[in-house]
Amino acid sequence: FIVLTIMLMNAYPDENSRWICRSSAMMGLISSASPYLLKPSKYLLEPSLKCRLAFKDKHRHVCDKLVWTSLIYALPALYGYAADQFGIAILQSITTVGSTLFHLSRETRCFNLDNIGAMSLMFSTVWSFILAVKNRIWFHAMLLLLGSPLATFFMVACGMPSIVCHCPSNDGSIRRISNPIYNHYHMLWHIISGFGTI
């Protein structure tokens, strides 16, 4: 990935071409890693678990609160593009897509895509806090310092996305059903972490 990006950037030295080269190289990297990024839940992969998943157990409606709050990550992405911060803008865009796909599949697919974007944003937020303190930008540092415990609480409180229970048919199969606590607190996590990265 790094070698390809350097080669393309040397071939096309102007800034617009460099941005296109970086984007193309990033898309190539994502495409090559797609089996890992789109990895499904073990309840879809392993028939030995005898998990019955109905259509509603594997899909959310577009208007579901976890789906539309995933789109909040697009706001910092747009701001990043407007401020010529293309690296963070691409990261925010990837997080928007990953989170949206993960929640559209009712947390049964794209876990790694969602997780990599979210963890990258978390580390970039920590880095921005360090830079804010170093450069004495106290308002930004204070916002991150006050928002971090709240974001941590929402992430811990939401728990697991689903509850696995036995089917009433008594045939030994299990059912994976949605966890309402997760739905509520993870929606709040999207709002805090989405606006926090702006």
Side-chain angles (χ1 to χ4, degrees):
F1 167 66
I2 294 169
V3 171
L4 177 62
T5 304
I6 291 170
M7 286 171 50
L8 289 170
M9 284 170 37
N10 287 335
Y12 304 99
D14 65 286
E15 190 55 41
N16 287 333
S17 296
R18 286 177 172 234
W19 183 81
I20 292 168
C21 293
R22 287 185 193 122
S23 300
S24 300
M26 181 67 77
M27 296 316 282
L29 178 68
I30 290 169
S31 298
S32 67
S34 63
Y36 173 77
L37 297 174
L38 303 177
K39 181 181 173 188
S41 163
K42 67 179 182 178
Y43 296 107
L44 291 177
L45 279 179
E46 299 176 25
S48 62
L49 292 174
K50 295 182 180 177
C51 186
R52 289 185 181 179
L53 291 173
F55 181 81
K56 67 177 184 174
D57 297 330
K58 297 184 283 184
H59 300 281
R60 288 184 192 273
H61 193 272
V62 176
C63 296
D64 188 276
K65 60 186 173 187
L66 282 178
V67 176
W68 65 261
T69 56
S70 293
L71 299 175
I72 289 173
Y73 296 116
L75 296 175
L78 293 172
Y79 180 71
Y81 287 119
D84 294 333
Q85 296 293 319
F86 298 115
I88 198 72
I90 290 170
L91 180 60
Q92 288 283 39
S93 300
I94 291 168
T95 304
T96 303
V97 171
S99 182
T100 304
L101 291 175
F102 180 61
H103 293 299
L104 273 173
S105 73
R106 202 173 279 277
E107 301 79 48
T108 58
R109 295 189 187 276
C110 302
F111 170 77
N112 292 330
L113 181 59
D114 177 55
N115 195 32
I116 289 170
M119 293 301 288
S120 299
L121 285 180
M122 185 181 77
F123 287 120
S124 67
T125 302
V126 170
W127 181 244
S128 74
F129 174 75
I130 291 167
L131 290 176
V133 170
K134 183 179 178 183
N135 294 309
R136 299 174 186 255
I137 305 171
W138 301 117
F139 178 73
H140 180 74
M142 207 55 146
L143 278 178
L144 290 174
L145 199 60
L146 294 173
S148 294
L150 190 58
T152 304
F153 169 76
F154 290 147
M155 196 57 173
V156 171
C158 71
M160 297 304 287
S162 61
I163 301 165
V164 177
C165 59
H166 289 282
C167 279
S169 62
N170 289 329
D171 63 356
S173 61
I174 58 174
R175 181 95 191 274
R176 180 188 179 276
I177 58 174
S178 188
N179 181 356
I181 293 172
Y182 174 86
N183 296 346
H184 177 71
Y185 283 113
H186 200 75
M187 175 204 62
L188 295 173
W189 156 259
H190 282 173
I191 293 168
I192 289 290
S193 63
F195 284 112
T197 52
I198 291 177

